[in-house]
Each structure stands twice: as structure tokens, then as C-alpha cells.
């Protein structure tokens, strides 16, 4: 059986359907998007002389949805050009397209009768081997497909994508009673590899895993609030990052989801469960039902638990007082437990600090946490086969830092259960038996291997070989060298990995030293090559700005010069290292983070990589080789007889406007990545793919790069660049200090005051970079920008 999927059909072009089609297109899967035929023409269609028989009219809904992908924020597509991979169609003329597809996804309205009717229309066009799934957040897979043939049902399952499909990593796959396991495995493999998803296998029960647990937790929280008299702001202060949950916490989350949508999800459970206590919990409290009746649905209606007002050009967010159903200015809660949680490092420490605070906010945290833990344990076996599926569903579906069972371990399984028992709560039998057997946690780690409880025993959590955990390698004592900023690890097969682990992975002397040491170690041990990667929240946000600012404030110019020279020399040596080097950036890769990747023989970027040279935002220019390397690439792109100026103009605009890619693919469009660089959708696979790239390069007779000369546009080209910048200043688009920075950048990118067409060395370009950087450090307004960025995290326009 062919396990790959190259063609898909999505039926339903709404927000969710078009979003799924976009993610398929992002993965390189050719996709057809179908919707119903319009009942009547628009005025514009009539003016163009169309009839209801014209394809432009009949395909209107799908065509408009594809066009809408280019306007939607956040962007559903990695690259706008990928919209061309989606073909519009309609259900009357093109339903037969499903017979040529590998996968058909139904994404129509959440209505059982509508879905059943569509499946009945699809089956005559379907052929065995074509996978069919329904995107649903909670409707029964069995009820949907019960009238279909057995062969069809073998290929049919649920696929619950979370919105927006590009950014939400969770995919719940829900097999039906007759779904063939091989088809589930095939879809799981494609979803993980091509779509970048974390897949959990859910049981065919109301709302599956994430929405079942998540909705329960939100309703428990709402009831606790109403019973104990907490305010909206108090609940959100407790149930956000202090508990390892997103900043949207409880009520901002409900406003984002939509209160009517939440009501529908809760009702779906209430209508399909038998347990009276569960029915009671999933009966939505009257105040929320009243809000829905009044049309206070959250963000989409302009007001929900919060309401944003604009008066005299200023925005104010009001919070709902449920007692009088009035909106009032927010009152920021404060207490010892909240302060302790804020000061603690890491989600486990924050939660422990919050729960041990001994005040009313500690009580709130405990009273909304304990029922979720007990409910998750009680539903094991009913909604999922193992605790890992439940934990992963909550982490990736609701953006919790820890799943319920990981949370239980974090607060102490045994003492928390004893506390629950003392409060008269019923503990699920399997949990009591697990503790009685002498176990103190649901998970344990042994020499880098994670185990979890399954059927009363610890079972190893199996990971595909494409997922390499640097944490596991450290526990397995695979560290070759280490200092405060970075470590060199053995990835196996003669490949080493340089991992950054400084605060925010900012580049300082410790990381630069380890880059040099890594080359020495690879050389000494005869390794095939080096991967540069890490598994931090972001790959690297740049150089250590605080250190640079301190030295500049003290006017230690020799120190600043030494820092930049060290960075430049380290990158230069890395570029000409005699073994292949592959970088694997992810998420925020800014400034110096980009300059670490530029010397690599190849870059394997995660699809969600936001990549850019942003130094002008703090009043500087790239000086770790960024200007030099991109100018060199421009010089190599333009043949000697070709005008180089347009290439440099584009580069000047990209760096001068601090452009950051919206994806790994967008980084190619901006010119930060080369055609030979690759993008992987699943970030968990990036280190594995980088390792394979090193082995391929080494195995194909790798020859290190040779020092290059580059052609520059010189003084004439510099004048062109500066003239453009002056025009922007005169038009009011940039400040005087922006113009100064732009002139310095133009001087570097043009190669200085040499004649146009002059060939210069890389070292010459590095000297220009360093001189410009040092001079800008001497500017008061640059130091103001650096200080503002460090204190606020935002650029200053002065």
C-alpha cells in the first residue's frame, strides 16, 4: 500500500476547511477545495454577463475562500504562492474528483444529518484505497457512517484539526468501529511528517479528548467563580501562566472561542453522556447562557467577558461584572501566591508556589485543578487508551504547559491524593491501586528514556527515530563538551550537535567559545560533521545586547571592538571548517541567530521559523558577518555582465527595514535562505533531518568552501541606496537617526567608496561592518534604542 499522500480533496470552504486546505498546500499536497453551488448570482457576476451555469459562479465559494487565504491573519499559508496548489470546485460538478485523491476530508457544518447526507453522496464516487475523514469536534464517527458500506467504513475516521490548522499542532484521529488500523497508521504518519502535527488517537466519545477535558475544566472554573464570588480578572490571573496555562486563561479563551461555540460543545457532551453528575457539570450555568441569548458572544460580537472600548483615541478593556451584568474597569489582582508564582522559574515551580500560598487565590487554583485531575483519571480508557494521549491533547490542543497527569506529578501525586481524600473526594480506583503498589508518579525517566503508567505497569514511551531529544542525550551522558552557554552532544553515526542554552539563547563569549571548541572536538574525534540546533522556545534571539550596551555606556570601545571581532572571526572559521556544518533554526531566529546560520553549508529550517536581521531596530547594523555574507550571495547571483545594483537594493531594503520572515519558506523569498536550504514542517524532525544532511554531504566527497572575493557596487551604488533613504526621510517615513543608520548600512552593503565593480575580500567587508557597528554604538540615540528594547521588548523610534 502506498503510504504517501500527494493529492487531497477538502469538502467545505469555510474558515476551517480552507485552513486545512492551506496546510495541505503548505505541505506540498495538491488539494481540491469543493463547496456548494450558489443559488443565485451576485450583482458583479450579473454585470460580467455570467449565468448560473458558468464555472466562475458555480465555484464561487471555493474561489473566494482561496483568495481569502491571502488576506487572513495570522497567515494560513507559508508562502502566498502556495495558494496555486489549491484548485477550486463545487459539489455538483466535481465530486468525482475524490476518486483520484489519496485523502478526502469533509469539513462541512457540525450537523450529523448534513454530514451523513454528504457521505451518502460521496460513496458512489469513492474507490477503495482513498482515505476519508470527517473534521468534527465531537460528533460520533459511528453515527455518521453507519449506513455506509463496510469497505468505506474501513477507510473512514475522524480527524479533528484545531483552529487555525497551520499554527495549532494537535490533530486528534478518531477511528470508527470498523476503521482499519493500517489506514489510521498511514494517516498518522502523513500528519506527523508532512503536516507537522502531534497526533493523538482518541476514542469515539463526545468531544473526544481535548475538548472533553478542556470544556470540563472551563465549566468547573465558571462554577467555582459563581459560588465563591471571584471576579473575571481574578480567575484569569490565577488560571493563566501561574497555572501553566496560556495568557488567555479562562475568560479570554472563551471570548476567543466564542461563547455560542462553547455552549454547543458543552451541550454535545451533556446530551450524550449517561452519568448524572457529568450531565450536571456539562449543563452550562445560566449567566453564560444569558450572555449567548443577548448576543454577547466574545470577540466576534465585540463583547463577552471582556469588552474593548475606544475613547478619544485610547483603548480600554473592561471586564464583565456578572452580578449586575455591567462592564467595569479592570482591577488587577495581587496576592502573595500570585507574586510567588510570578517570581518562580518554570511551570512546575510556578504551580507549586501558587498552590502553597495559603490565600484565596491558592484556594481557587486548587479547587479548579483537583476536579480536572480526577476527571482525567476517571475518563482514562473511555476517551483514550493511555495517559500520554490525554496529556499531549491538552498541551497541544489547549496550550497547557503540562497535561493533567504531568501536572499531578509536578505537584506531588501522593500528597495531592492524600489531600483530596481528606477533603472527601473519590479517587479513581486505578490511581489508588497505582499508589498502593508503591508508585509515586505517573511518569519516570531512566537514563534518558521516558516511561508512563499503562495497565498497572511502567511502559516506555516510544518515539519515532525521526525525533531526537537533546535532553535525553544529555541524560544518556552523550555530552562531549559544555560551558554555561552551549554544549556539544554526540548525535550518533559520527555527527555532533552544538546546542545553545544561554538565557534566551543569546550569543555571548561562552557560545562563541563553544563553537570553536566544537570544531576542535569534531576534528579530533574524526566526526563526519556538525549540526547547530537546540530545542529551546526559540533558536536564538541575537547577540547579548545587555553586554554590548554596558560596554558602550562605559565607552569601552576596545571591548566592543573585541566582541564584534570575536563574533566575526568565529563565524568566518565556521564557514571554512573542513567538515560539513548544517544549521537547524526554529521559531525566533533573529540578528546574531541568523548570522550563526549563514556560514552553514545547509540550513534545515522549521516551517515556523521567523528569520531576520533586525539590528536596525536597536540602532545598529548586522556585524557578525550578516552584511558580508548576503552581499557575497548577491554578488554570486549576479553574473559579471549583469547589473548588481538591483540585488543590493533588495538587500538594503530587507536589512534596512528589519524584515522578518513569516515562515521558513518566506525566508527563502526574502533571500535569507538559499535554494539549497530546506524547510521541514514538523520541528520535532529538524535535528534528525539536519543530521541526515551532514551524513549526505560527508558521504558525497565533501569539499570545504574556499575563500571568496565579491563584486561590489561601490561609491556609485552607495549613492543610489542613500538617495532612496533620503527620500524616505523627506517623506517622513523615517527619522534622522534612521537615516544615519541607513547611510551606514549603505556604506557597508555597497563595499564602501571603491569604484563600482571592484572585487573585494570578505575580510574587507567584515572590517566595514565592524567600523559601522562601532560608530553607531557611539550614538546616544542608538544606546537609547538598545536600552528600550531590553526594558520593554519593543523597538524605539527616536
Amino acid at each position: 500500500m502506498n503510504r504517501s499522500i500527494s493529492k487531497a480533496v477538502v469538502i467545505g470552504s469555510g474558515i476551517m476547511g480552507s485552513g486545512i486546505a492551506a496546510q495541505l498546500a503548505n505541505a506540498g499536497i495538491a488539494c481540491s477545495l469543493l463547496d456548494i453551488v450558489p443559488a443565485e448570482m451576485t450583482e458583479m457576476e450579473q454585470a460580467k454577463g455570467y449565468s448560473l451555469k458558468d464555472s466562475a459562479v458555480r465555484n464561487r465559494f471555493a474561489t473566494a475562500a482561496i483568495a481569502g487565504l491571502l488576506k487572513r491573519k495570522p497567515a494560513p499559508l507559508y508562502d502566498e504562492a502556495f495558494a496555486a496548489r489549491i484548485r477550486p470546485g463545487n459539489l455538483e460538478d466535481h465530486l468525482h474528483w475524490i476518486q483520484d485523491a489519496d485523502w478526502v476530508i469533509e469539513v462541512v457544518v457540525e450537523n450529523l444529518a448534513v454530514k451523513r447526507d454528504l457521505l451518502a453522496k460521496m460513496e458512489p464516487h469513492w474507490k477503495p484505497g482513498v482515505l476519508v475523514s470527517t473534521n468534527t469536534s465531537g460528533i460520533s464517527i459511528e453515527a455518521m457512517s453507519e449506513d455506509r458500506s463496510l469497505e468505506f467504513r474501513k477507510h473512514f475516521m475522524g480527524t479533528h484539526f484545531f483552529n487555525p490548522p497551520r499554527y495549532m499542532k494537535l490533530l486528534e484521529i478518531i477511528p470508527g468501529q470498523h476503521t482499519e488500523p493500517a489506514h489510521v497508521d498511514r494517516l498518522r504518519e502523513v500528519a506527523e511528517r508532512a503536516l507537522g502535527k502531534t497526533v493523538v488517537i482518541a476514542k469515539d466519545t463526545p468531544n473526544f479528548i481535548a475538548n472533553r477535558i478542556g470544556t470540563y475544566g472551563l465549566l468547573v472554573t465558571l462554577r467555582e467563580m459563581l459560588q465563591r464570588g471571584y471576579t473575571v480578572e481574578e480567575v484569569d490571573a490565577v488560571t493563566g501562566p501561574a497555572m501553566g496555562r496560556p495568557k488567555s486563561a479562562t475568560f479570554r479563551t472563551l471570548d476567543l472561542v466564542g461563547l455560542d461555540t462553547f455552549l454547543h460543545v458543552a451541550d454535545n457532551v451533556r446530551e450524550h453522556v449517561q452519568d448524572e453528575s457529568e450531565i450536571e457539570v456539562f449543563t452550562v450555568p445560566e449567566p453564560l447562557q444569558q450572555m449567548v441569548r443577548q448576543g454577547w458572544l466574545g470577540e466576534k460580537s465585540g463583547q463577552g467577558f471582556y469588552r474593548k472600548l475606544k475613547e478619544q483615541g485610547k483603548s480600554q478593556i473592561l471586564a464583565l461584572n456578572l452580578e449586575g451584568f455591567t462592564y467595569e474597569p479592570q482591577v488587577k489582582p495581587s496576592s502573595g501566591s500570585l507574586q510567588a508564582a510570578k517570581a518562580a522559574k518554570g511551570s512546575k515551580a510556578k504551580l507549586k508556589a501558587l498552590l502553597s500560598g495559603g490565600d484565596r487565590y491558592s484556594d481557587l487554583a486548587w479547587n479548579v485543578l483537583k476536579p480536572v485531575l480526577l476527571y482525567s483519571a476517571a475518563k482514562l480508557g473511555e476517551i483514550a487508551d493511555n495517559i500520554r494521549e490525554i496529556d499531549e491533547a491538552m498541551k497541544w490542543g489547549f496550550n497547557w504547559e503540562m497535561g493533567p497527569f504531568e501536572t499531578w506529578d509536578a505537584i506531588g501525586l501522593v500528597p495531592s491524593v492524600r489531600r483530596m481524600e481528606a477533603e472527601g473526594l473519590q479517587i479513581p480506583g486505578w490511581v489508588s491501586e497505582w499508589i498502593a503498589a508503591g508508585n509515586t508518579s505517573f511518569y519516570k525517566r531512566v537514563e534518558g528514556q521516558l516511561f508512563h503508567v499503562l495497565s498497572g505497569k511502567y511502559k516506555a514511551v516510544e518515539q519515532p527515530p525521526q525525533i531526537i531529544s537533546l535532553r535525553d542525550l544529555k541524560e544518556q551522558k552523550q555530552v562531549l563538551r559544555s560551558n554555561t552557554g552551549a554544549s556539544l552532544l554526540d548525535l550518533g553515526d559520527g555527527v555532533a550537535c552544538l546546542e545553545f542554552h544561554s538565557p534566551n539563547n543569546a550569543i555571548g563569549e561562552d557560545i562563541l567559545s563553544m563553537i570553536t571548541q566544537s570544531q576542535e572536538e569534531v576534528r579530533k574525534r574524526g566526526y563526519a560533521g556538525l549540526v547547530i540546533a537546540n530545542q529551546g522556545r526559540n533558536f536564538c534571539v541575537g547577540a547579548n545586547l545587555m553586554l554590548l550596551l554596558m560596554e558602550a555606556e562605559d565607552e569601552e570601545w576596545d571591548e566592543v571592538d573585541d566582541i564584534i571581532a570575536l563574533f566575526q572571526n568565529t563565524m568566518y572559521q565556521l564557514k571554512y571548517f573542513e567538515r560539513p556544518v548544517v544549521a537547524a533554526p526554529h521559531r525566533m531566529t533573529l540578528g546574531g541567530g541568523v548570522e550563526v546560520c549563514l556560514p552553514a553549508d545547509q540550513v534545515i529550517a522549521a516551517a515556523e521559523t521567523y528569520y531576520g536581521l533586525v539590528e536596525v531596530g536597536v540602532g545598529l547594523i548586522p556585524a557578525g558577518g550578516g552584511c558580508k555574507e548576503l552581499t557575497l550571495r548577491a554578488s554570486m547571483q549576479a553574473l559579471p555582465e549583469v547589473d548588481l545594483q538591483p540585488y543590493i537594493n533588495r538587500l538594503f531594503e530587507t536589512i534596512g527595514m528589519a524584515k522578518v520572515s513569516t515562515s521558513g519558506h518566506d525566508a527563502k523569498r526574502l533571500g535569507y535562505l538559499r535554494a539549497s536550504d530546506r524547510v521541514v514542517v514538523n520541528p520535532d524532525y529538524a535535528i534528525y533531518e539536519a543530521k541526515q544532511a551532514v551524513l549526505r554531504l560527508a558521504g558525497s566527497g565533501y569539499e570545504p568552501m574556499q575563500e571568496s572575493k565579491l563584486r561590489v557596487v561601490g561609491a556609485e551604488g552607495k549613492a543610489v541606496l542613500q538617495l532612496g533613504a533620503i527620500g524616505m526621510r523627506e517623506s517622513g517615513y523615517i527619522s534622522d537617526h534612521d537615516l544615519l543608520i541607513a547611510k551606514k548600512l549603505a556604506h557597508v552593503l555597497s563595499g564602501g567608496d571603491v569604484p563600482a565593480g571592484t572585487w573585494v575580500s570578505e575580510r574587507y567587508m567584515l572590517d566595514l561592518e565592524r567600523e559601522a557597528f562601532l560608530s553607531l554604538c557611539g550614538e546616544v540615540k542608538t544606546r537609547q534604542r538598545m536600552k528600550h528594547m531590553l526594558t520593554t521588548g519593543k523597538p524605539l523610534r527616536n
Side-chain angles (χ1 to χ4, degrees), residues 33 42 93 96 123 145 281-282 307 433 437 449 545 547 568 630 651 684 721 769 777 797:
L33 183 62
T42 65
D93 303 327
H96 65 278
E123 186 167 7
S145 62
V281 171
F282 282 94
R307 183 181 181 187
E433 291 169 7
Q449 175 66 60
L545 191 61
L547 175 62
Q568 291 183 339
L630 292 180
L651 182 56
D684 297 335
L721 300 179
E769 279 187 2
C777 282
R797 299 304 301 272

Side-chain angles (χ1 to χ4, degrees), residues 224-517:
E224 180 70 11
M225 171 193 178
L226 295 171
Q227 290 171 7
R228 309 285 183 184
Y230 292 100
T231 66
V232 166
E233 306 99 296
E234 286 177 321
V235 171
D236 275 359
V238 170
T239 59
M243 287 185 68
R245 309 282 172 81
K247 289 182 179 179
S248 57
T250 297
F251 295 114
R252 290 187 192 280
T253 295
L254 285 170
D255 278 356
L256 287 168
V257 168
L259 273 62
D260 53 340
T261 301
F262 177 76
L263 196 65
H264 170 77
V265 172
D267 285 347
N268 188 55
V269 179
R270 179 179 54 80
E271 292 167 3
H272 292 94
V273 295
Q274 307 299 319
D275 183 84
E276 288 298 326
S277 63
E278 202 168 0
I279 291 172
E280 181 182 354
V281 171
F282 282 94
T283 300
V284 176
E286 173 56 28
L288 197 148
Q289 296 195 45
Q290 182 181 336
M291 292 173 69
V292 173
R293 288 195 299 270
Q294 292 180 186
W296 296 4
L297 306 180
E299 201 167 86
K300 61 185 173 186
S301 68
Q303 65 187 91
F305 285 100
Y306 293 94
R307 183 181 181 187
K308 189 174 183 179
L309 288 183
K310 239 186 177 181
E311 293 180 351
Q312 298 177 344
K314 292 185 178 180
S315 294
Q316 182 184 16
I317 298 176
L318 306 178
L320 180 64
N321 181 332
L322 281 172
E323 288 187 7
F325 260 67
T326 56
Y327 288 97
E328 300 173 358
Q330 293 185 66
V331 178
K332 187 176 181 180
S334 180
S335 76
S337 63
L338 289 173
Q339 290 299 318
K342 187 176 181 180
K345 301 296 184 184
S347 53
K348 292 181 182 180
K350 287 181 182 296
L351 182 55
K352 281 187 174 182
L354 178 64
L355 291 174
S356 61
D359 57 30
R360 64 193 300 266
Y361 296 135
S362 291
D363 293 342
L364 173 60
W366 173 247
N367 289 335
V368 301
L369 178 62
K370 64 187 178 186
V372 172
L373 302 183
L374 292 170
Y375 186 72
S376 301
K379 293 298 146 186
L380 182 65
E382 179 182 334
I383 64 174
D385 282 331
N386 63 70
I387 66 169
R388 185 76 171 160
E389 305 278 11
I390 294 175
D391 279 348
E392 293 295 293
M394 298 316 299
K395 286 193 292 185
W396 297 111
F398 275 72
N399 291 320
W400 291 7
E401 291 287 336
M402 300 177 288
F405 297 98
E406 292 172 325
T407 298
W408 220 333
D409 281 356
I411 65 174
L413 173 59
V414 175
S416 62
V417 166
R418 297 293 174 251
R419 181 177 176 183
M420 293 174 189
E421 289 173 333
E423 294 174 3
L425 298 173
Q426 184 69 39
I427 309 300
W430 74 267
V431 175
S432 297
E433 291 169 7
W434 181 245
I435 293 173
N439 299 294
T440 59
S441 65
F442 293 120
Y443 292 94
K444 70 175 182 179
R445 299 183 69 86
V446 180
E447 295 180 350
Q449 175 66 60
L450 181 65
F451 294 81
H452 68 100
V453 56
L454 185 66
S455 302
K457 297 179 181 178
Y458 277 120
K459 178 177 173 57
V461 175
E462 296 181 5
Q463 293 279 28
Q466 294 90 347
I467 295 180
I468 295 174
S469 166
L470 300 183
R471 174 186 174 181
D472 289 352
L473 289 175
K474 288 178 180 177
E475 292 186 8
Q476 293 162 12
K477 297 183 171 44
Q478 297 302 313
V479 179
L480 303 174
R481 282 197 184 187
S482 185
N483 65 20
T484 55
S487 295
L488 184 68
L489 310 176
D490 189 340
L491 292 180
D493 300 318
V495 179
C497 177
L498 174 63
E499 176 204 24
F500 300 166
H501 46 67
S502 64
N504 295 318
N505 286 343
I507 297 170
E509 189 175 347
D510 48 4
I511 286 180
L512 296 174
S513 172
M514 189 52 63
I515 291 174
T516 300
Q517 292 180 50

Side-chain angles (χ1 to χ4, degrees), residues 623-786:
C627 292
K628 177 269 295 184
E629 195 61 33
L630 292 180
T631 306
L632 172 61
R633 291 182 185 179
S635 176
M636 293 170 67
Q637 282 180 296
L639 298 174
E641 64 273 14
V642 174
D643 184 11
L644 179 59
Q645 189 71 47
Y647 294 87
I648 301 301
N649 291 350
R650 181 186 178 198
L651 182 56
F652 179 64
E653 180 183 324
T654 299
I655 299 177
M657 296 182 69
K659 290 185 178 181
V660 176
S661 73
T662 57
S663 70
H665 291 283
D666 192 46
K668 283 194 172 188
R669 181 188 65 83
L670 289 172
Y672 287 129
L673 296 182
R674 301 157 293 196
S676 58
D677 295 327
R678 290 181 49 222
V679 178
V680 294
V681 179
N682 193 328
D684 297 335
Y685 288 16
I687 294 178
Y688 171 85
E689 293 294 343
K691 175 184 172 182
Q692 300 309 308
V694 167
L695 293 172
R696 280 194 298 272
L697 288 167
S700 60
Y702 176 76
E703 294 184 7
M705 295 187 191
Q706 299 299 311
E707 293 191 41
S708 307
K709 289 209 169 213
L710 56 156
R711 179 165 58 104
V712 296
V713 295
E716 295 174 22
K718 180 172 78 170
V720 172
L721 300 179
Q722 291 187 345
L723 188 61
I726 291 168
M728 292 186 71
R729 176 66 193 104
E730 290 177 349
S731 302
Y733 288 112
I734 62 175
S735 68
D736 288 337
H737 193 54
D738 291 326
L739 178 58
L740 173 65
I741 299 164
K743 286 182 174 180
K744 298 284 186 182
L745 179 62
H747 182 74
V748 175
L749 296 180
S750 63
D753 294 321
V754 298
T758 300
W759 290 84
V760 300
S761 70
E762 291 184 60
R763 288 289 186 185
Y764 169 84
M765 292 294 292
L766 290 175
D767 288 343
L768 292 181
E769 279 187 2
R770 197 166 71 257
E771 289 165 8
F773 189 95
L774 276 167
S775 67
L776 287 169
C777 282
E779 296 288 334
V780 172
K781 288 188 175 182
T782 283
R783 297 200 295 274
Q784 289 173 347
R785 290 190 178 193
M786 294 166 75

